mmCIF file of all heavy atoms in Angstrom:
data_model
loop_
_atom_site.group_PDB
_atom_site.id
_atom_site.type_symbol
_atom_site.label_atom_id
_atom_site.label_comp_id
_atom_site.label_asym_id
_atom_site.label_seq_id
_atom_site.Cartn_x
_atom_site.Cartn_y
_atom_site.Cartn_z
ATOM 1 N N GLU A 150 40.362 12.899 73.829
ATOM 2 C CA GLU A 150 39.097 13.162 73.105
ATOM 3 C C GLU A 150 38.291 14.298 73.820
ATOM 4 O O GLU A 150 37.446 14.971 73.115
ATOM 5 C CB GLU A 150 38.245 11.893 73.071
ATOM 6 C CG GLU A 150 38.881 10.766 72.338
ATOM 7 C CD GLU A 150 39.279 11.140 70.935
ATOM 8 O OE1 GLU A 150 38.459 11.500 70.169
ATOM 9 O OE2 GLU A 150 40.526 11.009 70.576
ATOM 10 N N GLY A 151 38.583 14.552 75.088
ATOM 11 C CA GLY A 151 37.819 15.636 75.755
ATOM 12 C C GLY A 151 36.506 15.202 76.293
ATOM 13 O O GLY A 151 35.621 15.851 76.733
ATOM 14 N N PHE A 152 36.315 13.879 76.305
ATOM 15 C CA PHE A 152 35.035 13.205 76.770
ATOM 16 C C PHE A 152 35.449 11.782 77.465
ATOM 17 O O PHE A 152 36.404 11.247 77.110
ATOM 18 C CB PHE A 152 34.014 12.910 75.641
ATOM 19 C CG PHE A 152 33.542 14.105 74.974
ATOM 20 C CD1 PHE A 152 34.214 14.453 73.728
ATOM 21 C CD2 PHE A 152 32.456 14.740 75.346
ATOM 22 C CE1 PHE A 152 33.761 15.525 72.999
ATOM 23 C CE2 PHE A 152 32.063 15.940 74.682
ATOM 24 C CZ PHE A 152 32.655 16.286 73.461
ATOM 25 N N ALA A 153 34.634 11.515 78.399
ATOM 26 C CA ALA A 153 34.854 10.270 79.104
ATOM 27 C C ALA A 153 33.543 9.376 79.010
ATOM 28 O O ALA A 153 32.474 9.918 78.831
ATOM 29 C CB ALA A 153 35.145 10.512 80.564
ATOM 30 N N LYS A 154 33.811 8.071 79.073
ATOM 31 C CA LYS A 154 32.664 7.133 79.118
ATOM 32 C C LYS A 154 31.811 7.417 80.281
ATOM 33 O O LYS A 154 32.332 7.746 81.388
ATOM 34 C CB LYS A 154 33.234 5.703 79.209
ATOM 35 C CG LYS A 154 33.951 5.156 78.087
ATOM 36 C CD LYS A 154 34.500 3.801 78.186
ATOM 37 C CE LYS A 154 35.470 3.641 79.372
ATOM 38 N NZ LYS A 154 36.132 2.261 79.395
ATOM 39 N N PRO A 155 30.494 7.461 80.161
ATOM 40 C CA PRO A 155 29.699 6.877 79.011
ATOM 41 C C PRO A 155 29.372 7.793 77.942
ATOM 42 O O PRO A 155 28.454 7.480 77.127
ATOM 43 C CB PRO A 155 28.376 6.397 79.761
ATOM 44 C CG PRO A 155 28.217 7.345 80.830
ATOM 45 C CD PRO A 155 29.611 7.781 81.289
ATOM 46 N N HIS A 156 29.922 8.999 77.844
ATOM 47 C CA HIS A 156 29.589 10.011 76.791
ATOM 48 C C HIS A 156 29.996 9.342 75.444
ATOM 49 O O HIS A 156 31.123 9.000 75.335
ATOM 50 C CB HIS A 156 30.399 11.240 77.015
ATOM 51 C CG HIS A 156 29.814 12.419 76.366
ATOM 52 N ND1 HIS A 156 29.565 12.498 74.991
ATOM 53 C CD2 HIS A 156 29.197 13.617 76.862
ATOM 54 C CE1 HIS A 156 29.136 13.687 74.693
ATOM 55 N NE2 HIS A 156 28.759 14.269 75.731
ATOM 56 N N THR A 157 29.081 9.246 74.593
ATOM 57 C CA THR A 157 29.299 8.601 73.244
ATOM 58 C C THR A 157 30.298 9.242 72.450
ATOM 59 O O THR A 157 30.949 8.590 71.563
ATOM 60 C CB THR A 157 27.950 8.394 72.510
ATOM 61 O OG1 THR A 157 27.392 9.633 72.278
ATOM 62 C CG2 THR A 157 27.064 7.531 73.218
ATOM 63 N N SER A 158 30.589 10.542 72.708
ATOM 64 C CA SER A 158 31.512 11.342 71.812
ATOM 65 C C SER A 158 32.933 10.821 72.063
ATOM 66 O O SER A 158 33.788 11.152 71.235
ATOM 67 C CB SER A 158 31.494 12.869 72.191
ATOM 68 O OG SER A 158 30.201 13.376 71.782
ATOM 69 N N ILE A 159 33.200 10.072 73.083
ATOM 70 C CA ILE A 159 34.502 9.483 73.301
ATOM 71 C C ILE A 159 34.902 8.591 72.006
ATOM 72 O O ILE A 159 36.173 8.417 71.787
ATOM 73 C CB ILE A 159 34.712 8.735 74.560
ATOM 74 C CG1 ILE A 159 36.239 8.529 74.838
ATOM 75 C CG2 ILE A 159 33.907 7.395 74.587
ATOM 76 C CD1 ILE A 159 36.503 7.947 76.313
ATOM 77 N N LEU A 160 33.938 8.101 71.353
ATOM 78 C CA LEU A 160 34.119 7.284 70.205
ATOM 79 C C LEU A 160 34.029 8.009 68.915
ATOM 80 O O LEU A 160 34.161 7.291 67.868
ATOM 81 C CB LEU A 160 33.164 6.067 70.207
ATOM 82 C CG LEU A 160 33.323 5.055 71.298
ATOM 83 C CD1 LEU A 160 32.206 3.987 71.244
ATOM 84 C CD2 LEU A 160 34.622 4.390 71.314
ATOM 85 N N GLY A 161 34.009 9.319 68.893
ATOM 86 C CA GLY A 161 33.912 10.082 67.660
ATOM 87 C C GLY A 161 34.980 9.848 66.695
ATOM 88 O O GLY A 161 34.832 9.773 65.470
ATOM 89 N N LYS A 162 36.290 9.735 67.174
ATOM 90 C CA LYS A 162 37.375 9.435 66.262
ATOM 91 C C LYS A 162 37.342 8.132 65.474
ATOM 92 O O LYS A 162 37.635 8.053 64.321
ATOM 93 C CB LYS A 162 38.667 9.378 67.121
ATOM 94 C CG LYS A 162 39.963 9.121 66.309
ATOM 95 C CD LYS A 162 41.235 9.246 67.292
ATOM 96 C CE LYS A 162 42.465 8.880 66.595
ATOM 97 N NZ LYS A 162 43.639 8.917 67.561
#
Side-chain angles (χ1 to χ4, degrees):
E150 298 306 300
F152 297 96
K154 295 179 293 184
H156 201 300
T157 57
S158 293
I159 195 172
L160 292 179
K162 178 179 178 180

